Amino acid sequence: MKQVQVQVPATSANCGPGFDCLGLALELYNVFTFVPDELATEYSYTFTGLGADLLEQEDPNNNLIGHAMDQVFAKAQEPIQYGHITSDTNIPPSRGLGSSSTAIVGGLLLANSLITNPLSKEELLIIANRMEGHPDNVCPAIYGNLCCAYGTKDKILNTVIPIPEELYFAVVVPEVLVSTEYARSVLPQHVPFKEAVHNVGFASLFVSSLITGQLDNLSVALDDNLHVPYRKTLIPHCDDVFSAAKGAGAYGATISGSGSTLIAYATKDKVEVVAKAMGDTFTNNNVENKIYVLKADSEGAKVV
Ligand code: HSE
């Protein structure tokens, strides 16, 4: 039996005002390879790339890739195929760039591909959403582009919207770990009605401006009242980095997913300067960081 290899894009969830429902895919990929072994009675793993040392220490029985593969075999009523999985990570783990979603979506795609793709993308999304808990990372990981997704555990409604060619992303990953669980625990139980109303405006403006190409609107449409004000306290110098991004010519900046990555939206001619200004702001405040200049991914996860 031959090996199967898939790549899954990084994702930036929330996109400012779209808490738990908006997410976009980026051209930065984790690659997962499966080599079937008919004699194996469990999955075995090799980890390379970013965070490999930490992944190696985790219990393989809890690995999301294997769990996701099991879900596909069960849903398709096919026998489980065990073998060796290689996970090569280029996406910084636990930084708000959807690294755990790539493991889930990677496992789903590997298994589906091994049994000649009986499950549709819609069915894979339902499984992924159930495993992840919210659809804003897994949906763009599967479909690429900007996704708006709303779902329950049995049903997901989603749209896929292409990102304008001229829009680029300055992504700055500080050496600050913020777990999604903790970043959700700092959110309030209630927000004032007026602030919620503003968010409806920001989110509607965000999506519609990407559709119409009115990118100047992003200077307002990336604002948020639901999570950014609470989570930015977990990321040192967050406001300074946002200001640096805008000062260098970005439309705006926000927290990627639950952080700690910060992401600025800018045109191609400005994005390098924006990324440098953001990185320098962290560096000048003694926060180590890594910067990326990325385009949106338009294909989503695929067999390579
Ligand atoms: N929407 C989720 C959150 C994404 O912000 O908590 C987590 O990656």
Side-chain angles (χ1 to χ4, degrees):
M1 278 190 281
K2 65 176 176 49
Q3 69 168 38
V4 184
Q5 188 169 66
V6 300
Q7 69 171 37
V8 188
T11 49
S12 182
N14 301 326
C15 302
F19 184 69
D20 275 359
C21 64
L22 295 180
L24 58 84
L26 295 164
E27 283 189 341
L28 179 67
Y29 301 94
N30 284 347
V31 177
F32 305 99
T33 311
F34 181 80
V35 180
D37 176 354
E38 279 171 6
L39 300 177
T41 54
E42 58 188 7
Y43 302 109
S44 56
Y45 295 90
T46 299
F47 300 100
T48 60
L50 298 176
D53 48 341
L54 294 177
L55 289 166
E56 264 160 16
Q57 287 165 28
E58 286 177 8
D59 180 352
N61 294 318
N62 293 336
N63 192 287
L64 288 171
I65 310 167
H67 277 241
M69 292 185 71
D70 286 348
Q71 300 275 326
V72 170
F73 294 132
K75 171 82 183 163
Q77 299 184 310
E78 291 277 347
I80 292 181
Q81 294 187 32
Y82 289 118
H84 190 74
I85 295 165
T86 303
S87 157
D88 183 17
T89 37
N90 299 300
I91 303 169
S94 305
R95 291 297 198 290
L97 287 169
S99 57
S100 43
S101 289
T102 70
I104 294 171
V105 171
L108 296 178
L109 220 63
L110 284 174
N112 202 34
S113 168
L114 279 170
I115 54 176
T116 60
N117 299 308
L119 302 189
S120 65
K121 281 189 177 186
E122 290 75 15
E123 288 170 307
L124 296 180
L125 176 59
I126 289 169
I127 302 174
N129 181 49
R130 232 180 265 149
M131 290 184 71
E132 174 71 16
H134 26 78
D136 49 347
N137 283 121
V138 287
C139 192
I142 292 173
Y143 289 95
N145 302 286
L146 169 72
C147 292
C148 310
Y150 177 77
T152 61
K153 69 181 173 38
D154 301 317
K155 190 175 167 147
I156 297 178
L157 303 174
N158 76 284
T159 54
V160 181
I161 296 162
I163 304 273
E165 272 295 308
E166 63 270 34
L167 190 57
Y168 278 64
F169 303 91
V171 175
V172 185
V173 185
E175 271 305 317
V176 175
L177 266 182
V178 179
S179 76
T180 298
E181 198 183 354
Y182 185 60
R184 291 182 87 83
S185 77
V186 302
L187 302 179
Q189 292 294 316
H190 304 279
V191 292
F193 183 76
K194 215 169 153 185
E195 290 187 10
V197 171
H198 279 298
N199 251 71
V200 175
F202 299 147
S204 308
L205 196 61
F206 178 87
V207 174
S208 57
S209 299
L210 287 192
I211 293 171
T212 59
Q214 290 168 278
L215 299 183
D216 285 339
N217 290 343
L218 295 178
S219 64
V220 172
L222 277 164
D223 283 355
D224 169 73
N225 292 329
L226 300 185
H227 66 108
V228 173
Y230 308 97
R231 287 172 165 177
K232 68 184 181 188
T233 59
L234 309 177
I235 305 166
H237 309 287
C238 185
D239 272 331
D240 297 334
V241 177
F242 286 165
S243 301
K246 276 210 165 187
Y251 292 115
T254 189
I255 298 174
S256 180
S258 56
S260 58
T261 294
L262 303 184
I263 182 167
Y265 292 45
T267 48
K268 185 181 181 179
D269 57 326
K270 297 198 176 121
V271 69
E272 301 270 357
V273 179
V274 169
K276 185 170 179 324
M278 294 169 77
D280 285 351
T281 305
F282 273 133
T283 305
N284 294 340
N285 287 291
N286 302 315
V287 180
E288 274 184 48
N289 64 89
K290 202 165 171 193
I291 60 176
Y292 298 82
V293 167
L294 299 171
K295 282 191 76 174
D297 167 276
S298 59
E299 292 187 282
K302 64 178 187 181
V303 176
V304 288

